[in-house]
Amino acid sequence: ATRQLADRQDKEAQQLDRELRRWETRHFACAADAEAAWTAWRESPTVIRAVWAVHGEMIEEIDREGPAWRVHATRGELRAEQIAAEQFRRSTFILVSNDPRRTARELLEAYKTQFVVEQDHAVLKGPLTVAPLFLKDTGKITAYVYVVYMALLLWQCMQAVMRQNQTRLGISLPYPNKALQPAPTTKR
């Protein structure tokens, strides 16, 4: 997550630098117009959520056409509160359960042992389950997929009962090499 955050900071810095170079080339007829445009840009969601601060000052330039205003814009320091919010967002894991007996930590530990749930979706997409269909009616296709998912749910319930009994009885199923499985699956 730290590397992803650093990559985001680099990418965002490049994007902000491009935007700020554009601000250097924009000219306004009066200071109020320049200030209004700069304020609107700084209050955009992209800039508000940015991890870099941006600074700007109004500069009056006189040329042969008369006075013109522009914004001298620079990228500032990293904003600690935005970095902390991004780190919190990336470290948050939403896990929904209907098991009131377990704490959040126990649920997360149980979830991490349920890697086979992800493997079951691979089984679902394999050649023995949801294969190319020759159905044309969308209602029939939907019904077929529902039946397959109900079978997958039954498959997973069988795994859950098997694991609960493994824990309760203190036994496990062996692999073909005779080693005991820490998390037996119905596939095995």
Side-chain angles (χ1 to χ4, degrees):
T2 305
R3 174 137 174 90
Q4 291 173 341
L5 190 56
D7 289 346
R8 178 186 170 209
Q9 290 171 3
D10 292 343
K11 184 178 177 183
E12 190 177 282
Q14 293 170 1
Q15 181 182 1
L16 271 176
D17 289 344
R18 280 193 302 272
E19 284 288 322
L20 296 176
R21 280 193 298 273
R22 283 190 209 122
W23 275 101
E24 292 286 329
T25 62
R26 292 182 69 183
H27 294 279
F28 297 90
C30 67
D33 289 347
E35 186 70 41
W38 176 249
T39 302
W41 181 75
R42 286 196 58 193
E43 292 175 356
S44 69
T46 304
V47 178
I48 289 174
R49 287 192 300 262
V51 295
W52 294 96
V54 291
H55 306 289
E57 62 176 324
M58 302 303 138
I59 297 175
E60 182 180 14
E61 297 177 340
I62 307 285
D63 60 10
R64 60 187 152 169
E65 296 175 6
W69 290 85
R70 70 177 180 85
V71 178
H72 175 66
T74 56
R75 177 170 47 96
E77 65 285 347
L78 285 167
R79 298 187 327 180
E81 70 277 359
Q82 289 300 101
I83 292 173
E86 181 67 17
Q87 287 173 333
F88 178 75
R89 187 186 67 76
R90 290 178 183 269
S91 66
T92 302
F93 184 79
I94 298 173
L95 184 61
V96 178
S97 174
N98 62 353
D99 188 354
R101 297 169 290 149
R102 295 184 185 179
T103 65
R105 181 169 297 284
E106 290 171 341
L107 283 171
L108 183 59
E109 288 171 359
Y111 174 78
K112 288 183 176 182
T113 65
Q114 296 293 324
F115 64 92
V116 291
V117 173
E118 301 298 332
Q119 291 175 346
D120 286 345
H121 283 282
V123 169
L124 177 71
K125 296 175 187 174
L128 300 177
T129 53
V130 179
L133 300 174
F134 299 105
L135 302 172
K136 301 218 185 292
D137 182 25
T138 57
K140 290 180 182 178
I141 294 170
T142 303
Y144 174 72
V145 171
Y146 275 127
V147 168
V148 170
Y149 267 101
M150 291 300 289
L152 179 64
L153 179 61
L154 179 61
W155 179 285
Q156 291 172 341
C157 287
M158 289 170 47
Q159 283 181 156
V161 169
M162 186 170 47
R163 289 189 183 166
Q164 288 171 356
N165 288 333
Q166 170 191 348
T167 303
R168 188 172 54 84
L169 300 173
I171 59 173
S172 180
L173 297 174
Y175 285 115
N177 67 359
K178 308 283 190 266
L180 294 179
Q181 297 180 28
T185 67
T186 48
K187 185 178 179 181
R188 294 186 182 133

